[in-house]
Amino acid sequence: MSRGVGPKVSRRLCSKPQEESSVQPRGRPVLRVPGHKPTDWEKKCLLWAGHFKKPEDIPEVVSIDTIRAAQTTLRVKFSYVMIALTIVGCIVMVIRGKQAVKRHESLTSINLEKKAQWKEEATQSTSAKP
């Protein structure tokens, strides 16, 4: 404790005394209902996450924690799929780049060809005007 501050003096940034901790925090309300009736989308999440095998196996009332766990599992699976697709895309781009090198194609040569073509079209259009 710092000097001059008694044990009963409360400061703004310090934790509250134990007496006041019995009051419910304002953050998240306590659910008084023991379960939750899942919607069709939540039922699909529960099936895709592997919590239940068939739609008939899903009970009428499911705990919120089970639904949240299924959604978290699906988020992780989705991120794995995105990682795999990114890796496949990178490999495909490397293969296409190597094939372009074999054909002696590069962005520089393509841009130079386009600019030469544009110049030629511009000179033809200016010579055709008079």
Side-chain angles (χ1 to χ4, degrees), residues 21 23-25 37 40 44 55 57 62 79 87 89 91 126:
S21 64
V23 178
Q24 180 182 357
K37 185 175 181 201
D40 290 337
K44 288 179 184 179
D57 295 343
V62 180
S79 68
I87 291 171
I91 292 171
T126 55

Side-chain angles (χ1 to χ4, degrees), residues 35-90:
H36 170 72
K37 185 175 181 201
T39 62
D40 290 337
W41 177 250
E42 291 170 341
K43 287 181 182 180
K44 288 179 184 179
C45 287
L46 289 167
L47 290 174
W48 291 338
H51 287 269
F52 298 99
K53 298 294 178 191
K54 297 181 279 186
E56 297 84 32
D57 295 343
I58 301 173
E60 283 290 319
V61 178
V62 180
S63 71
I64 292 288
D65 292 335
T66 306
I67 293 173
R68 287 187 183 147
Q71 290 172 342
T72 301
T73 303
L74 286 179
R75 270 188 222 106
V76 170
K77 286 183 180 182
F78 182 74
S79 68
Y80 286 157
V81 167
M82 294 302 292
I83 290 169
L85 288 175
T86 302
I87 291 171
V88 167
C90 290

